[in-house]
Amino acid sequence: MIGEEKVRSEDLNLCFEKLMMVAAGNSGEGVKRKAAVITEWKDIPMELLLRIVSLVDDRTAIVASGVCSGWRDAICLGLTHLCLSWCRKNMNNLVLSLAPKFTKLLTLVLRQENPQLEDTAVETIAKFCHDLQDLDLSKSFKLGDRSLYALAHGCPNLTKLNISGCTSFSDESLEYLTKFCRKLKILNLCGCVKAATDCALQAIGENCNMLQSLNLGWCDNVGDLGVMSLAYGCPDLRCLDLCGCVRITDDSVIALANGCLHLRSLGLYYCRNITDRAMYSLAHSRVKNKASIWQSMKGRYDEEGLRSLNISQCTALTPSAVQALCDTFPALHTCSGRHSLVMSGCLNLTSVHCACAVQSHRTLNSILHTAH
């Protein structure tokens, strides 16, 4: 395995040739060092090496780090972004091997098609990669609470965490994580049915006040209490996906309308308890907060407000309420090619149209009338 076995000379030669091709292709000239043409991989200066490594794929960078101690030190300390999603098997062992070396990582993507990662790998990451800001562990079905406890202590600088599909995490471990990772801005909990509960959301609202984006898709243990805690604890929330959160009611949307003035995107797919009251509260919030938003944005008021809304399968809604919302937020579109207001499965809302769709219809009628 890379990092554990001696890299074969033919691998190094292939790696060197690839690095040289990349360098030459990007410089437009041959790669030179003090007027001497580089012909061997050992001749590459460290500054040039790091520049080249930033242009090649991660697999090649890992191979390059095994060339010699000088390359290993330079690459391991210089590489800040790493994606291992290409690893189809033995990813766990690869992480155990690489994490102690790549200690300056800021971004680490470990998304898997087949579950490979175990808690030992995440614990190793937390032990050595203390500067980590962006971590993707999506579809890591084998991970348990030990991983979140380790991240809480080892990676307090996380601003983006994707644990979507990690169904084994408990809400206790998620609550614990929020007490230490208070800089989180983007959190993906889609499908984390055990972790995403009202108790966990209360902890997020209390500890993660900088949160801007949260995905709670298909977390059917989420209720009004949790969403209301988010609304009042995370005032800078901009994107919230509540698709499939079947327990929430109008109270959740009303709290978001009142507490999250910068909300841009809201997913309510299959939230069948949502009624017109929620739509009118969103529309009213724009009018009520117009003065403060105008003052803070200095003329950018039109850029504020909802730009994306999914109310598919919300069958209790009526055309008048949704049309009022659509009229209030010009960025919500029903016209072809710009569907930012999604209403699939709501057959009673077919009469709802955005402003540009209405204008287009009027223009077409005018042309037809002129032609006759």
Side-chain angles (χ1 to χ4, degrees):
M1 191 184 73
I2 298 171
E4 293 184 352
E5 300 177 354
K6 185 177 180 181
V7 183
R8 296 176 301 176
S9 59
E10 56 265 31
D11 290 335
L12 299 183
N13 291 332
L14 182 62
C15 178
F16 172 70
E17 292 175 7
K18 187 172 183 179
L19 292 175
M20 291 301 95
M21 290 174 61
V22 170
N26 282 275
S27 66
E29 302 176 0
V31 183
K32 299 181 180 180
R33 181 186 182 186
K34 294 183 179 180
V37 177
I38 296 175
T39 57
E40 296 185 13
W41 47 264
K42 293 180 181 179
D43 297 331
I44 303 178
M46 290 303 104
E47 296 82 1
L48 177 58
L49 172 63
L50 290 178
R51 172 58 179 161
I52 296 173
V53 167
S54 70
L55 300 173
V56 299
D57 61 87
D58 290 331
R59 194 189 307 226
T60 302
I62 293 172
V63 173
S65 70
V67 170
C68 61
S69 60
W71 277 38
R72 180 196 63 211
D73 294 341
I75 294 175
C76 289
L77 293 177
L79 197 67
T80 58
H81 296 71
L82 184 63
C83 176
L84 299 180
S85 295
W86 49 266
C87 185
R88 300 297 180 183
K89 53 184 177 179
N90 296 324
M91 180 188 286
N92 198 73
N93 290 333
L94 185 59
V95 172
L96 290 174
S97 173
L98 295 179
K101 303 171 185 176
F102 292 86
T103 59
K104 298 300 181 182
L105 286 177
L106 299 178
T107 299
L108 180 58
V109 179
L110 301 174
R111 184 178 181 87
Q112 306 144 79
E113 292 303 321
N114 299 310
Q116 303 178 58
L117 282 187
E118 299 174 6
D119 289 324
T120 52
V122 180
E123 288 171 333
T124 304
I125 293 168
K127 182 178 180 180
F128 293 99
C129 304
H130 302 304
D131 297 329
L132 202 61
Q133 297 177 8
D134 182 351
L135 178 61
D136 187 344
L137 297 173
S138 53
K139 296 186 178 181
S140 298
F141 304 126
K142 292 184 177 181
L143 297 184
D145 287 347
R146 284 169 49 191
S147 291
L148 293 191
Y149 287 128
L151 290 174
H153 291 290
C155 303
N157 295 312
L158 281 175
T159 60
K160 183 178 180 180
L161 178 62
N162 186 347
I163 53 175
S164 60
C166 298
T167 54
S168 297
F169 292 144
S170 69
D171 56 352
E172 290 90 350
S173 64
L174 182 56
E175 289 177 50
Y176 190 83
L177 177 80
T178 66
K179 295 177 182 178
F180 296 87
C181 299
R182 294 173 176 263
K183 299 178 182 179
L184 280 171
K185 292 185 176 181
I186 302 174
L187 181 60
N188 192 335
L189 300 175
C190 182
C192 297
V193 291
K194 291 173 59 179
T197 64
D198 284 348
C199 290
L201 296 188
Q202 284 179 290
I204 292 174
E206 180 179 348
N207 300 316
C208 304
N209 309 124
M210 302 170 64
L211 197 66
Q212 295 182 359
S213 177
L214 178 61
N215 189 333
L216 293 171
W218 306 106
C219 295
D220 52 15
N221 286 319
V222 170
D224 289 334
L225 181 61
V227 178
M228 291 169 71
S229 299
L230 284 175
Y232 299 129
C234 305
D236 201 30
L237 197 62
R238 296 162 190 265
C239 300
L240 179 61
D241 193 342
L242 294 169
C243 294
C245 296
V246 295
R247 293 176 55 201
I248 67 168
T249 69
D250 292 337
D251 291 340
S252 289
V253 179
I254 292 171
L256 292 168
N258 292 330
C260 302
L261 306 184
H262 303 288
L263 195 63
R264 301 288 186 280
S265 176
L266 180 60
L268 296 173
Y269 173 77
Y270 216 81
C271 297
R272 294 193 168 185
N273 293 323
I274 301 301
T275 71
D276 289 352
R277 184 165 159 253
M279 299 297 101
Y280 284 122
S281 69
L282 287 170
H284 181 64
S285 68
R286 180 174 171 90
V287 177
K288 182 175 65 175
N289 298 312
K290 181 176 180 179
S292 61
I293 294 177
W294 179 273
Q295 213 171 27
S296 63
M297 298 302 290
K298 297 181 180 179
R300 291 171 56 197
Y301 173 64
D302 286 339
E303 298 179 17
E304 288 290 299
L306 280 176
R307 306 182 70 84
S308 176
L309 177 65
N310 188 341
I311 51 174
S312 298
Q313 300 297 334
C314 295
T315 52
L317 298 176
T318 66
S320 57
V322 179
Q323 187 63 62
L325 183 66
C326 195
D327 293 341
T328 304
F329 296 103
L332 291 178
H333 293 280
T334 61
C335 50
S336 178
R338 304 177 69 182
H339 283 110
S340 55
L341 175 57
V342 185
M343 303 177 290
S344 301
C346 299
L347 300 180
N348 60 325
L349 299 181
T350 55
S351 62
V352 176
H353 294 290
C354 60
C356 54
V358 173
Q359 181 60 42
S360 176
H361 181 70
R362 289 175 178 172
T363 302
L364 179 61
N365 284 340
S366 177
I367 294 173
L368 292 175
H369 180 73
T370 302
H372 286 295

